[in-house]
Amino acid sequence: MLGGLLTLAIVAVADVAIHGSREAWRGFAFMLTAGLSCMLFTGLVEHAIPSISWTAMLALRTSLVPLSGALALIYLGLWMGAAYEDRLVHACVAWGSKVLLASAATLGSFALVLDESHAMDLVAISALVSAFGVVLGAIASARAAQLGDSLARWMAVACVLLAVAEAGLFANLVQLPFYGDGLRVLTALSTVAFFLVCSAVGYRRSREIRRLSRLAKLSQGADPATGLPRGSVLLAKVDDAFWRSARLGRECTVVCLHIRNLYELSEAV
C-alpha cells in the first residue's frame, strides 16, 4: 500500500511541476493529506519513528482523516462543476465540508488534552465522522451521475472503495479479532484502488477542460456560413444566459446538437 501511494504521490508532484495549475496543486494536497491519514492507521509510522508520542499520533489520527474528507468534498464540488449548482449536491459538499472541518479541529483539540484512556473513544468518533463524509460524497456523486455527468459514476465507485478502505484501516487500528491477513490485503488494495480511480477521473476532467479552453481560444466570433456565435463568444453568451436565469429564479437548459455536415444541411433548408 505504501508503494502504491508513493508512486501516485510522485505522479502528483510531477503534475504540479509540469502544469502548475490549481487542479494539479489540489490533487497534490489531497494526495498528501489523504495518503498520510491512511498510513497513520497501519502502524508503520510508529515503527519508523518510535520516539513519536502517543498524544501527537492521536491528534493526527483523529483530525487528519476528517480534514482530508473535508478537502475531498470541497474538491469534489469544484470537480463536478455545473452539477455543483444542484441543491442536493451543494448541500452535501458545502455543508458537509464545514461539518468535517469543525470536527477535525474539535477532535484534534480534545486529543491534546485528554488522557490515554479516552483515545479509542476519540478514534471511534473520528471513524463515524469519516463515514459521514464518505456517505455525503457518494450521494453527491450519484446525484451528479443522475444529472448526466458520466465521470461521476466512477467517483461513486471510488466512494465505495473508500468505505471499504476506511473500515479496514480503523479495524486494523483497534485490532478487531476477526481482522486477519485476508482483510488486510483487501484494505490495502481498496486504498490504492481508491486513489487510482480518483487520479484517473481527475486527470480525465482536467484534460477535457484544457481541450475546451484551447478550442475556445482558437475559434472566436461568428460562423461565416450561418452567422451563429462560436468559440469564446458562444461560451460568453451561454454564461450570460445562466446568470440571467439565476437572477430571475428560472431554470436554464443548454441543448447541444451534433451535426456532421452543417453546410449541406443549411443549403437543403
Side-chain angles (χ1 to χ4, degrees), residues 5-263:
L5 295 184
L6 284 177
T7 303
L8 292 173
I10 293 173
V11 173
V13 172
D15 191 27
V16 170
I18 295 173
H19 297 106
S21 61
R22 286 180 295 179
E23 291 79 9
W25 280 105
R26 288 171 190 159
F28 173 72
F30 171 70
M31 189 68 215
L32 182 64
T33 55
L36 181 58
S37 63
C38 290
M39 294 310 304
L40 287 173
F41 288 86
T42 62
L44 188 62
V45 176
E46 298 95 317
H47 181 74
I49 313 174
S51 59
I52 190 170
S53 64
W54 71 269
T55 304
M57 284 299 302
L58 181 62
L60 288 173
R61 282 170 174 162
T62 54
S63 62
L64 197 57
V65 175
L67 176 61
S68 62
L71 291 177
L73 285 178
I74 294 172
Y75 294 164
L76 182 64
L78 296 172
W79 178 84
M80 286 178 178
Y84 187 43
E85 299 301 326
D86 181 74
R87 290 184 178 180
L88 179 59
V89 176
H90 183 272
C92 292
V93 172
W95 292 105
S97 60
K98 294 177 182 178
V99 171
L100 290 178
L101 285 174
S103 301
T106 304
L107 290 171
S109 301
F110 275 113
L112 295 175
V113 298
L114 293 180
D115 53 47
E116 194 171 356
S117 60
H118 297 89
M120 287 299 103
D121 295 333
L122 287 180
V123 170
I125 295 174
S126 179
L128 291 176
V129 172
S130 301
F132 172 71
V134 174
V135 171
L136 290 181
I139 293 175
S141 300
R143 175 61 176 169
Q146 184 182 14
L147 294 174
D149 190 344
S150 58
L151 289 180
R153 301 171 186 171
W154 288 104
M155 197 60 76
V157 173
C159 291
V160 175
L161 294 171
L162 179 60
V164 175
E166 284 194 353
L169 290 170
F170 278 107
N172 178 73
L173 181 64
V174 299
Q175 294 296 313
L176 294 179
F178 62 85
Y179 191 72
D181 292 339
L183 291 177
R184 287 189 176 90
V185 171
L186 177 62
T187 300
L189 292 177
S190 300
T191 304
V192 176
F194 163 73
F195 285 101
L196 278 174
V197 173
C198 288
S199 300
V201 295
Y203 173 75
R204 177 80 176 272
R205 179 59 51 84
S206 298
R207 186 178 62 180
E208 290 177 350
I209 292 174
R210 288 196 297 267
R211 178 173 175 270
L212 288 175
S213 178
R214 288 195 301 268
L215 291 175
K217 292 177 181 178
L218 289 175
S219 179
Q220 300 181 3
D223 181 76
T226 63
L228 296 174
R230 64 181 184 181
S232 59
V233 176
L234 174 61
L235 294 180
K237 288 181 177 293
V238 172
D239 190 49
D240 292 339
F242 278 136
W243 278 108
R244 287 197 305 272
S245 63
R247 287 195 301 267
L248 297 174
R250 299 175 181 174
E251 294 185 356
C252 185
T253 303
V254 176
V255 180
C256 302
L257 302 178
H258 178 68
I259 303 176
R260 296 184 179 275
N261 194 333
L262 176 64
Y263 304 103

